Amino acid sequence: MTEAPLIAINRHRMGTDGDGVTTLVAFHGCPLNCQYCLNPQCLRPDGIWRNLTPGDLYSEVEIDDLYFVATGGGICFGGGEPLLWSSFIREFTTIMNPEWKITLETALNVPLEKLIEVAPLVSRFFVDVKDMNGKIYSTYTKKNNKQTIQSLDWLASQGLAEKVIVRLPLIPEYNTPTDIIASRRMLEGMGFSHFNEFVYKKILRTE
Ligand code: SF4
């Protein structure tokens, strides 16, 4: 079985990443390079905590089966960028209790086939789009957002927009409340209607 690098497993989360009680499984690695990344260890080569197979992961998280089933919760895959590990996630879902819910915290800036591979298995997507303005996005992340927009278009075209909560952050020194309104309008035009607006903490990276 494929091994994946993790930076953390965090149990007994409520109200932050999906319905019910969830366990956050955070992968190492991300195609973006955000200035205020909250988990910079996912970008550092020496930031890997452990490498696990889907079976190893199941052995670690099954202890909370009763909580997941009783509350409608399950596993939230984040990181880092969880869609870099879509085959791992798919394999994990063949082992887990099918009553568990799968949530993804993703920036969607990955090849579309990785999203297509797991989309039918996901109950809720939390999508951090940063900003829909390409210039703001690339200044902040060091990558363009064409792939993100293609992924959003695909989700909408598959009738999955209702499962998506779009995170629209105010990014200090990079965008403004007016930019957020523009992003929201663009996303509403694409068919999305669930938004989470908040302010990024300004954490300056040391490396
Ligand atoms: S997308 Fe998330 S994990 Fe990746 S660099 Fe940006 S803040 Fe960090």
Side-chain angles (χ1 to χ4, degrees):
M1 279 195 277
T2 331
E3 280 194 343
L6 301 183
I7 58 170
I9 295 175
N10 196 337
R11 293 171 60 203
H12 298 166
R13 294 163 65 93
M14 284 199 76
T16 48
D17 36 33
D19 298 331
V21 173
T22 56
T23 290
L24 173 67
V25 176
F27 291 104
H28 183 268
C30 183
L32 305 186
N33 201 343
C34 301
Q35 181 66 27
Y36 307 140
C37 181
L38 272 180
N39 297 318
Q41 70 269 36
C42 76
L43 304 175
R44 290 197 307 260
D46 64 351
I48 297 171
W49 169 56
R50 294 165 71 192
N51 286 291
L52 297 184
T53 65
D56 295 335
L57 177 62
Y58 178 72
S59 302
E60 301 246 344
V61 298
E62 65 173 331
I63 189 170
D64 291 317
D65 175 66
L66 280 177
Y67 289 122
F68 298 157
V69 172
T71 64
I75 305 296
C76 175
F77 288 105
E81 175 50 69
L83 285 176
L84 293 178
W85 298 98
S86 50
S87 298
F88 179 101
I89 294 170
R90 188 173 40 73
E91 199 170 326
F92 176 82
T93 63
T94 66
I95 303 169
M96 70 176 201
N97 182 339
E99 288 182 57
W100 297 2
K101 302 285 190 303
I102 297 294
T103 303
L104 277 193
E105 290 183 339
T106 171
L108 289 181
N109 203 328
V110 295
L112 188 57
E113 57 268 23
K114 292 196 173 287
L115 173 61
I116 292 171
E117 187 173 9
V118 295
L121 309 168
V122 175
S123 297
R124 178 85 65 203
F125 299 85
F126 290 94
V127 178
D128 188 356
V129 298
K130 317 297 177 190
D131 197 291
M132 294 296 279
N133 178 305
K135 194 153 184 263
I136 294 169
Y137 186 100
S138 59
T139 306
Y140 179 66
T141 69
K142 309 284 187 287
K143 193 166 178 190
N144 75 59
N145 65 349
K146 287 191 184 129
Q147 184 61 68
T148 305
I149 290 169
Q150 189 191 4
S151 300
L152 286 165
D153 270 335
W154 183 83
L155 284 169
S157 73
Q158 299 301 304
L160 295 172
E162 273 301 303
K163 291 187 173 184
V164 176
I165 296 175
V166 184
R167 289 182 165 152
L168 285 173
L170 181 70
I171 313 173
E173 296 172 28
Y174 287 86
N175 70 356
T176 66
T178 307
D179 295 320
I180 293 178
I181 291 168
S183 290
R184 186 169 173 147
R185 287 206 179 119
M186 197 171 164
L187 287 153
E188 284 169 344
M190 294 167 76
F192 295 94
S193 55
H194 305 298
F195 299 97
N196 174 21
E197 295 182 17
F198 61 104
V199 182
Y200 269 171
K201 287 188 189 140
K202 192 174 160 186
I203 301 171
L204 286 178
R205 305 234 317 263
T206 49
E207 74 274 30

